[in-house]
């Protein structure tokens, strides 16, 4: 949690958008730890993560902070639709789908580019971990928790790009 908060602080955001980043980081770290332990992202945390992120971004919009609430909502819908498609066609869990609106909204607040790169970063990190498992000989039957990669990818982009 300290590393996630330090990354958010180093990103330099202020106001309600920074509060949204901290909220996402707090919920995201808890979700990542749970996902690694039990291969599940529970609703008891995904719902508050999404609701809190959207409420804090709404406050940022009302306060006139730079960013777009409309784009954040559209990005939340787009990222969620992408994750839902992957859940239906592949082995992505529904917890990942339920957490996706928070990721899309947080990243989409600043730009579509952030939404794309932040989402892609999670998949890239997950792919690197999967390849490492395959190379080690443990990958064929090992289940890989995707939540930590979602959180790390989203936080990396939101604190470094905007």
């Amino acid at each position: 949690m300290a590393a996630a908060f330090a990354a958010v602080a180093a990103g330099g955001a202020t106001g309600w958008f920074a509060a949204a980043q901290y909220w996402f980081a707090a919920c995201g770290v808890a979700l990542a730890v749970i996902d690694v332990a039990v291969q599940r992202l529970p609703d008891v945390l995904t719902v508050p993560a999404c609701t809190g992120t959207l409420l804090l971004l709404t406050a940022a919009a009302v306060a006139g902070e730079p960013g777009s609430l409309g784009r954040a909502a559209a990005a939340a819908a787009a990222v969620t639709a992408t994750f839902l498609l992957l859940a239906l066609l592949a082995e992505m869990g529904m917890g990942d789908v339920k957490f996706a609106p928070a990721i899309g909204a947080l990243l989409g607040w600043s730009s579509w580019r952030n939404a794309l790169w932040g989402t892609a970063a999670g998949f890239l990190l997950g792919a690197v971990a999967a390849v490492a498992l395959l190379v080690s000989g443990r990958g064929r039957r090992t289940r890989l928790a995707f939540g930590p990669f979602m959180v790390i990818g989203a936080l990396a982009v939101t604190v470094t790009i905007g």
Side-chain angles (χ1 to χ4, degrees):
M1 187 72 71
F5 277 21
V8 171
T14 59
W16 291 105
F17 179 61
Q21 289 178 316
Y22 281 112
W23 178 255
F24 177 86
C27 293
V29 168
L31 283 163
V33 168
I34 291 168
D35 199 14
V36 167
V38 297
Q39 301 286 308
R40 185 165 140 26
L41 296 177
D43 291 350
V44 72
L45 286 176
T46 57
V47 171
C50 294
T51 304
T53 300
L54 290 168
L55 286 174
L56 291 165
L57 292 176
T58 300
V62 169
E65 294 181 21
S68 169
L69 186 59
R71 184 178 50 238
V79 172
T80 302
T82 301
F83 278 56
L84 180 58
L85 185 63
L86 289 170
L88 295 173
L89 299 177
E91 290 191 33
M92 179 164 282
M94 287 305 293
D96 298 327
V97 176
K98 293 174 188 176
F99 186 42
I103 290 170
L106 185 70
L107 293 165
W109 171 260
S110 299
S111 70
W112 280 107
R113 181 184 66 172
N114 282 9
L116 174 67
W117 285 110
T119 304
F123 284 102
L124 179 63
L125 292 168
V128 168
V131 168
L133 284 173
L134 287 171
V135 169
S136 73
R138 301 180 329 157
R140 302 276 309 159
R141 303 223 185 259
T142 303
R143 292 186 53 92
L144 187 63
F146 189 58
F149 304 113
M150 294 168 64
V151 172
I152 293 166
L155 280 176
V157 169
T158 193
V159 302
T160 58
I161 298 178

